[in-house]
């Protein structure tokens, strides 16, 4: 829910909707609860526009096609349809037009902010003093372990994620 | 909003007492639970300075020392473009969280360095040898320590997989120059600079997309292995996906990375239901250090 405050703040600021726009990345059931295996209340089709209304752990509460329910956090991507990555332009194009307005206002708002660009990096001069400062903040392995112990953070054995078989996740030719 | 800020200020104020936990001077110096592996090698930057670089093999006294020597140059160059945010508490906090996550990376041999740099851009960088940076603009978007851990873990993954080092090895730049006399001059390590050019420029060129997708997969797992909520990095990617890709603050990120939307899609494909059975990780929204 906390994260959604950020996303929601965007759409609230634009005054358009209570929810943040998103696009379904795959065909998936919309569940009644944020728990795998709970009852399905609807279905997402890849490319479908959704409204993201809440987040809980690895789940998003979405509204789509008149239904409201929960899908996995990564089954939907936030952002208005047409403004996603190029790879999604194909699937998202249709859904895109709906929420474009809220984004264009944002571009104007930040147009004056000049970022860290390629030229800045190319022209950068080695800064020995800043590097020394950086190295002065170094935390040792034992300090990190003590921090974890105090925080109740325990190292967990977790398997590496496999490379997806279809390299085409979200990419349409 | 003002009310929220004052509530935040209260919370931050109330945290002063508990935030002593972050005062590293107060943290007990506990012995490491794991014995050092015999393959580990000292990676002190100072020792790296004395060795010369062999262009093709990047050989030094040890491969790790050479890696650190290159990373140090890249880091110094990047800091020349964007200095550290002047906030000791912030920098110590990021180094503490970062080092704990890096302990899960298989590169315990490195002396890791983390920094938040002065830029409103939304971006993060890694350089060989354990140098990791994120911008103030990205940091300010984070909501909890699990998200910070996820962002740092993505960069740690680049270092542990040696993505930039491999890029340099493949690069035509390597091999164009013979061994140089190694001297640390005002501009940094001249020998390294001769080989890789301006180190920060390497960061502007970026890696290939597969390396970024891989770092997302590995990073999400590193953060979870450190005991954090595994959804930190995915949530940050969703946050970035929600921003108009034409936003100036994302210009360099999107020049060097696939879009956040594509990264969400790829990571989602890899994760599927695999995180369902993970123990609940920690987020620490309350103690997460917020830039004033």
């Amino acid at each position: 829910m906390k994260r959604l405050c950020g996303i929601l703040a965007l759409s609230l600021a634009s005054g358009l909707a209570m929810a943040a726009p998103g696009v379904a990345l795959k065909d998936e059931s919309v569940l009644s609860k944020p728990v795998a295996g709970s009852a399905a209340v609807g279905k997402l089709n890849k490319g479908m526009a959704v409204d993201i209304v809440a987040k809980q752990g690895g789940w998003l509460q979405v509204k789509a096609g008149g239904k409201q329910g929960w899908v996995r956090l990564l089954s939907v991507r936030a952002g208005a349809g047409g403004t996603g990555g190029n790879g999604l332009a194909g699937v998202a194009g249709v859904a895109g037009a709906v929420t474009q307005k809220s984004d264009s206002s944002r571009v104007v708002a930040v147009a004056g902010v000049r970022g860290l660009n390629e030229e800045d990096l190319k022209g950068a001069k080695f800064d020995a003093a800043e590097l020394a400062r950086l190295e002065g903040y170094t935390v040792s392995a034992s300090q990190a372990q003590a921090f974890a112990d105090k925080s109740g953070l325990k190292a967990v054995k977790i398997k590496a994620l496999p490379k997806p078989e279809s390299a085409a996740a979200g990419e349409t030719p | 909003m003002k009310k929220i800020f004052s509530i935040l200020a209260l919370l931050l104020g109330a945290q002063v007492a508990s935030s002593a936990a972050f005062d590293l001077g107060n943290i007990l110096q506990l012995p490491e639970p794991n014995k050092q592996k015999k393959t580990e090698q000292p990676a002190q930057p100072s020792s790296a300075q004395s060795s010369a670089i062999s262009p093709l093999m990047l050989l030094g006294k040890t491969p790790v020392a050479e890696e650190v020597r290159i990373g140090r140059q890249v880091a110094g160059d990047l800091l020349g473009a964007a200095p550290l945010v002047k906030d000791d508490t912030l920098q110590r906090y990021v180094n503490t969280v970062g080092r704990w996550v890096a302990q899960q990376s298989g590169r315990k041999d490195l002396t890791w360095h983390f920094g938040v740099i002065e830029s409103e851009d939304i971006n993060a960088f890694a350089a060989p040898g354990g140098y990791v940076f994120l911008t103030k603009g990205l940091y300010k978007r984070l909501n909890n320590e699990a998200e910070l851990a996820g962002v740092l873990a993505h960069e740690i993954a680049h270092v542990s997989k040696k993505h930039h080092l491999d890029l340099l090895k493949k690069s035509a730049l390597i091999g164009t120059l013979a061994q140089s006399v190694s001297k640390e001059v005002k501009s940094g390590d001249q020998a390294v600079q001769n080989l890789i050019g301006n180190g920060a420029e390497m960061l502007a060129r970026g890696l290939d997309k597969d390396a970024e997708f891989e770092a997302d997969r590995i990073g999400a797992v590193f953060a979870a292995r450190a005991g954090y909520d595994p959804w930190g990095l995915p949530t940050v990617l969703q946050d970035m996906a929600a921003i108009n890709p034409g936003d100036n603050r994302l210009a360099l990120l999107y020049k060097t990375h696939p879009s956040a939307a594509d990264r969400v899609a790829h990571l989602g494909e890899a994760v599927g239901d695999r995180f369902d059975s993970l123990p609940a990780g920690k987020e620490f929204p309350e103690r997460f250090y917020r830039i004033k």
Side-chain angles (χ1 to χ4, degrees), chain B residues 11-277:
Chain B
L11 286 174
L12 286 171
Q15 262 197 298
V16 169
S18 65
S19 72
F22 298 134
D23 180 354
L24 295 164
N26 286 353
I27 285 183
L28 295 168
Q29 300 281 321
L30 298 181
E32 274 190 87
N34 301 323
K35 296 284 178 209
Q36 292 222 326
K37 286 187 208 144
K38 48 181 174 286
T39 50
E40 285 181 13
Q41 309 186 40
Q44 293 308 315
S46 52
S47 69
Q49 294 304 329
S50 56
S51 53
I53 284 183
S54 156
L56 286 172
M57 301 299 289
L58 287 169
L59 291 176
K61 271 185 184 161
T62 67
V64 170
E66 215 49 78
E67 185 185 347
V68 171
R69 187 172 157 189
I70 291 167
R72 205 164 180 268
Q73 178 70 27
V74 174
D77 286 350
L78 176 64
L79 288 168
L84 293 169
V85 174
K86 304 270 180 292
D87 183 338
D88 290 345
T89 311
L90 168 71
Q91 304 292 358
R92 291 292 273 185
Y93 176 60
V94 170
N95 272 277
T96 307
V97 173
R99 181 64 193 248
W100 171 241
V101 176
Q103 289 302 96
Q104 326 302 324
S105 73
R107 294 301 307 274
K108 288 188 193 179
D109 56 326
L110 295 174
T111 303
W112 291 84
H113 307 283
F114 301 86
V116 182
I117 55 175
E118 272 295 351
S119 168
E120 291 302 325
D121 252 37
I122 297 167
N123 213 337
F125 305 92
Y131 291 86
V132 170
F133 299 92
L134 75 162
T135 61
K136 187 167 78 177
L138 173 54
Y139 189 93
K140 286 196 307 199
R141 301 189 68 82
L142 305 177
N143 297 298
N144 61 47
E145 200 171 294
E147 293 181 11
L148 172 63
V151 168
L152 297 176
H154 170 100
E155 301 305 327
I156 289 166
H158 281 315
V159 175
S160 78
K161 296 300 287 185
K162 300 189 178 169
H163 284 150
H164 290 98
L165 203 61
D166 288 347
L167 183 77
L168 284 171
K169 282 182 181 174
K170 276 189 253 172
S171 160
L173 288 167
I174 297 293
T176 52
L177 287 153
Q179 302 242 359
S180 313
V181 179
S182 175
K183 256 193 281 184
E184 182 148 25
V185 292
K186 238 191 288 173
S187 62
D189 190 329
Q190 196 59 49
V192 176
Q193 188 126 27
N194 287 348
L195 280 169
I196 67 172
N198 183 317
E201 189 184 350
M202 179 186 85
L203 301 176
R205 284 198 298 268
L207 299 162
D208 68 40
K209 284 186 172 194
D210 281 342
E212 296 300 341
F213 295 138
E214 183 181 30
D216 284 338
R217 293 195 299 273
I218 296 173
V221 169
F222 281 175
R225 283 179 183 165
Y228 288 106
D229 178 74
W231 302 105
L233 178 61
T235 302
V236 175
L237 292 176
Q238 288 285 21
D239 174 61
M240 293 195 294
I243 304 172
N244 187 311
D247 192 313
N248 286 350
R249 296 169 303 167
L250 292 170
L252 183 62
L253 181 77
Y254 284 166
K255 183 181 175 291
T256 54
H257 289 69
S259 73
D262 281 352
R263 292 170 66 185
V264 166
H266 275 78
L267 187 56
E269 183 120 330
V271 170
D273 61 4
R274 289 184 177 86
F275 284 173
D276 283 4
S277 55

Side-chain angles (χ1 to χ4, degrees), chain A residues 1-2 55-57 153, chain B residues 93 143-148 227-232 235 281-288:
Chain A
M1 196 52 208
K2 272 144 207 149
K55 174 184 176 285
Q56 186 178 314
L153 283 167
Chain B
Y93 176 60
N143 297 298
N144 61 47
E145 200 171 294
E147 293 181 11
L148 172 63
Y228 288 106
D229 178 74
W231 302 105
T235 302
K282 296 198 186 299
E283 292 185 319
F284 297 119
E286 295 83 17
R287 81 175 189 188
F288 176 66

